[in-house]
Amino acid sequence: MNQPLTALDVMHDAPVIPVIVLQDPQDAVPLARALAAGGIRMLEVTLRTPVALECIERIAKEVPEAVAGAGTIRSAADAQAAALAGARFGVSPGYTRSVGKACHDLGMPLLPGVATGSEIMMAQEDGYQQLKFFPALQAGGAPMLKAWQGPFGEVRFCPTGGIHAGNAAEFLSLANVACVGGSWIVPADAIARKDWARIETLAREAKALSR
């Protein structure tokens, strides 16, 4: 039986949570194994393709060394379907009370997406203190996160959106950033070529980032 996770468990496991888009369920297991071998265990499989739930289910069943999560949760139904497929955490591009309540009722940690102070306050009212800052670069980047350290000093963020190997360290150096989300360690061309060795190398590099 899997031990219950918290949002902090998800955020503190590694400096980077990969944002994964899969087109073929056959890629799910070898991709997850490559990431886990590189030290990246918390895997956000986005619900952006028709096969996403099947991919989550395969990872959950066949790759015990990884933790399957679901990204792009936009409704209570998304959260329920993801949990049924075996997702152990959720990530949303924004925040609504119905999504927050669904994940709470399911016992599934959620990193809700926020881009404004009002959205942070709404998520906090519902008990969420670990949040996804999205889209990070477009919504103000590192300067915005620095500005939020005063009024929202207790909140920890996972900035996602425009993060890459060249700027991840800048975000990770901030006191209120626990980890970052990014797709650079799971490039579409590497997945298409089934270049799992490259993905494992990118995962090792991401795991080594300091925060």
Side-chain angles (χ1 to χ4, degrees):
M1 187 71 164
N2 288 324
Q3 291 296 315
L5 281 179
T6 68
L8 282 174
D9 292 333
V10 175
M11 297 175 90
H12 286 163
D13 197 70
V16 181
I17 297 174
V19 179
I20 301 166
V21 180
L22 286 168
Q23 308 290 344
D24 184 350
Q26 299 293 333
D27 293 333
V29 167
L31 173 69
R33 286 177 176 157
L35 289 166
I40 302 295
R41 301 189 315 130
M42 301 293 165
L43 312 184
E44 178 191 341
V45 179
T46 62
L47 302 182
R48 299 181 193 175
T49 67
V51 301
L53 290 171
E54 181 181 350
C55 291
I56 290 170
E57 186 172 9
R58 290 191 181 202
I59 293 169
K61 287 182 176 178
E62 299 183 43
V63 194
E65 64 270 31
V67 178
T72 325
I73 291 179
R74 299 187 299 167
S75 66
D78 283 346
Q80 291 157 1
L84 191 62
R88 294 182 58 201
F89 68 93
V91 185
S92 60
Y95 181 69
T96 65
R97 293 217 148 107
S98 62
V99 166
K101 183 178 186 303
C103 290
H104 178 270
D105 291 349
L106 289 162
M108 185 166 71
L110 173 70
L111 300 182
V114 299
T116 68
S118 296
E119 292 168 353
I120 294 172
M121 290 165 64
M122 183 188 299
Q124 284 187 300
E125 281 183 4
D126 293 344
Y128 289 97
Q129 302 280 15
Q130 291 82 42
L131 310 176
K132 167 181 171 176
F133 176 38
F134 177 81
L137 286 194
Q138 295 86 341
M144 180 66 85
L145 288 164
K146 288 177 184 176
W148 280 342
Q149 287 178 354
F152 302 116
E154 69 279 19
V155 177
R156 291 298 174 265
F157 294 96
C158 173
T160 306
I163 312 295
H164 52 76
N167 63 9
E170 176 187 8
F171 285 91
L172 290 166
S173 70
L174 300 175
N176 57 350
V177 170
C179 64
V180 300
S183 58
W184 84 89
I185 62 174
V186 284
D189 62 331
I191 295 173
R193 291 199 304 268
K194 305 187 187 303
D195 189 351
W196 312 126
R198 179 184 171 201
I199 287 173
E200 181 178 341
T201 296
L202 290 169
R204 288 187 189 282
E205 292 170 354
K207 176 71 172 179
L209 288 168
S210 60
R211 55 183 173 181

